[in-house]
Amino acid sequence: MTQRITIRRPDDWHLHLRDGAMLKTVLPETARHFVRAIIMPNLVPPVVTAADASAYRDRIMTALPEGMDFTPLMTLYLTEQTDPDDVAAAYADGLIHAVKLYPAGATTNSQSGVKTLRNVYPVLERMAEIGLPLCIHGEVTTHDVDIFDREQVFLDTVLAPLRRDLPGLKVTLEHVTTSHGIDYVREAEGDIAGTITTHHLMINRNHMLVGGIRPHYYCLPIVKRAEHQKALRAAATSGHPRFFLGTDSAPHLDGAKETACGCAGCFTAPNTMSCLAHVFEEEGALDKLEGFASLHGPARYGLPPNEATMTLEKREEPCTYPETYETPEGSLTLFDPNVPLHWHVLT
Ligand code: NCD
Ligand code: ZN
């Protein structure tokens, strides 16, 4: 018997669209299913000023195929040189919806990120005043902290003190990967939310490392133990409004992934909705999918939920997504969910 669910159309609250040829290839994959997305600013060079964000938004709209409807929600990359007035003006104009904090060295293209948090307090204070959310890549980059512990250590040594200093700041802890992060977001006082990625719901570090190293599962923050995956699944399917979808779909050409020093990032835009329906069904929580993918995010960002709907149908035969996508610069591998996906997106 076929099973169907209809939800309001989803948005993606953490997405890497890149630029140039890659942008042209991946943008339709997001726009097919998602109405809006928070666009990560970690280009080379990064999107640091309102002028950069405006130019990037134009390039995205130019790359959008005719007939597709999609609204990019722009962000600025926070640096120690960021001008609070420029940020406030970009927010007032409706150009940007968040500012992104990358601790310097934490991930792909984060060299220009923040080394000393104190130096960006003037920007953060202004953001707290005007209600502009700060999206945080929550990992310390100290060399003596194990890569699997970097999120947990960040919570105690960076996030908690920052939020004590600036209690009015709206914070999104992005791509939460540990039970510690989940507990923090659920229990902390004040204005906090957390996004969860598709891949962190589907895989844990065994999938990445047992029986051979799988470069396409390498992302940052790195996938953790199964018990953390379990905590993420529980949070995502709980219906708690502080948790919502940020796919962190982060495409890299295969040549940059399948190499001695591969880039971090999983490309999940095309099959995210099938993956999520699979996870939510496994957790007996299909009725919570709409909240996670389509309602909690807009509420958090002060935007109305989408009016249009999406219907997913469970079929006997699994979905057939392409294994790879071609760009003029090389191929790009789609995230392998590691199980057959039976939920097809109909519309
Ligand atoms: C992202 C990228 O490639 O830009 N990579 C990733 O593994 N998630 C950067 C990021 O969001 O950390
Ligand atoms: Zn990301």
Side-chain angles (χ1 to χ4, degrees):
M1 218 182 54
T2 56
Q3 206 184 333
R4 279 189 180 193
I5 54 165
T6 296
I7 60 172
R8 285 185 190 253
R9 283 190 97 71
D11 302 302
D12 185 350
W13 302 95
H14 180 133
L15 175 68
H16 298 270
L17 281 179
R18 314 303 191 200
D19 218 337
M22 180 75 95
L23 168 64
K24 259 187 122 48
T25 304
V26 301
L27 175 60
E29 299 309 317
T30 283
R32 210 183 306 289
H33 293 166
F34 298 91
V35 177
R36 300 167 290 199
I38 284 276
I39 308 302
M40 286 297 121
N42 63 333
L43 305 181
V44 187
V47 178
V48 291
T49 63
D52 296 338
S54 170
Y56 186 29
R57 184 172 66 178
D58 290 347
R59 295 199 296 282
I60 294 170
M61 293 318 284
T62 304
L64 188 67
E66 279 275 326
M68 279 189 135
D69 213 3
F70 176 72
T71 304
L73 307 174
M74 308 310 290
T75 63
L76 295 182
Y77 185 120
L78 183 59
T79 73
E80 295 184 20
Q81 286 72 48
T82 295
D83 171 8
D85 290 337
D86 185 56
V87 171
Y91 182 53
D93 286 351
L95 172 65
I96 62 161
H97 292 262
V99 169
K100 174 73 187 241
L101 167 64
Y102 289 104
T107 188
T108 315
N109 306 334
S110 62
Q111 306 84 321
S112 350
V114 175
K115 294 198 180 78
T116 308
L117 210 47
R118 282 264 159 209
N119 294 342
V120 296
Y121 268 33
V123 183
L124 301 181
E125 280 159 8
R126 180 71 79 84
M127 289 170 60
E129 266 167 47
I130 62 180
L132 175 58
L134 179 70
C135 291
I136 300 187
H137 182 112
E139 290 192 288
V140 294
T141 53
T142 350
H143 291 292
D144 57 355
V145 176
D146 189 273
I147 188 167
F148 289 96
D149 299 333
R150 288 179 170 199
E151 180 175 294
Q152 183 183 1
V153 172
F154 185 89
L155 301 172
D156 298 335
T157 63
V158 183
L159 188 57
L162 168 70
R163 297 188 64 249
R164 268 198 297 276
D165 289 349
L166 296 163
L169 185 65
K170 257 176 123 71
V171 169
T172 306
L173 182 64
E174 299 201 280
H175 38 51
V176 180
T177 62
T178 60
S179 61
H180 316 288
I182 292 295
D183 291 345
Y184 182 87
V185 170
R186 196 191 300 106
E187 282 147 34
E189 279 175 32
D191 204 335
I192 178 112
T195 60
I196 301 177
T197 78
T198 314
H199 46 289
H200 287 99
L201 292 172
M202 298 291 296
I203 59 169
N204 60 58
R205 68 193 200 181
N206 272 14
H207 298 104
M208 180 178 62
L209 295 171
V210 173
I213 184 159
R214 291 178 183 73
H216 296 287
Y217 286 166
Y218 175 63
C219 65
L220 289 170
I222 198 155
V223 283
K224 309 292 192 305
R225 289 176 178 276
E227 70 202 47
H228 294 293
Q229 182 193 8
K230 222 172 128 193
L232 298 173
R233 282 181 165 232
T237 59
S238 68
H240 196 301
R242 283 189 176 179
F243 297 105
F244 50 90
L245 175 65
T247 65
D248 197 12
S249 181
H252 290 278
L253 293 176
D254 287 338
K257 298 272 313 164
E258 300 167 7
T259 177
C261 184
C263 293
C266 300
F267 175 49
T268 55
N271 59 2
T272 275
M273 291 313 296
S274 295
C275 288
L276 291 181
H278 176 92
V279 167
F280 278 67
E281 185 186 26
E282 274 190 346
E283 300 295 326
L286 275 173
D287 61 321
K288 301 291 194 303
L289 178 60
E290 184 178 45
F292 181 72
S294 315
L295 301 178
H296 304 164
R300 167 84 182 150
Y301 279 87
L303 296 168
N306 298 312
E307 284 299 332
T309 59
M310 166 182 277
T311 298
L312 294 111
E313 184 174 87
K314 189 179 183 189
R315 295 191 189 146
E316 198 73 50
E317 75 281 11
C319 305
T320 50
Y321 287 100
E323 261 173 54
T324 58
Y325 290 72
E326 293 309 319
T327 84
E329 287 157 4
S331 65
L332 171 64
T333 294
L334 176 63
F335 173 70
D336 172 4
N338 202 45
V339 286
L341 298 173
H342 292 275
W343 285 95
H344 298 244
V345 177
L346 295 190
T347 51

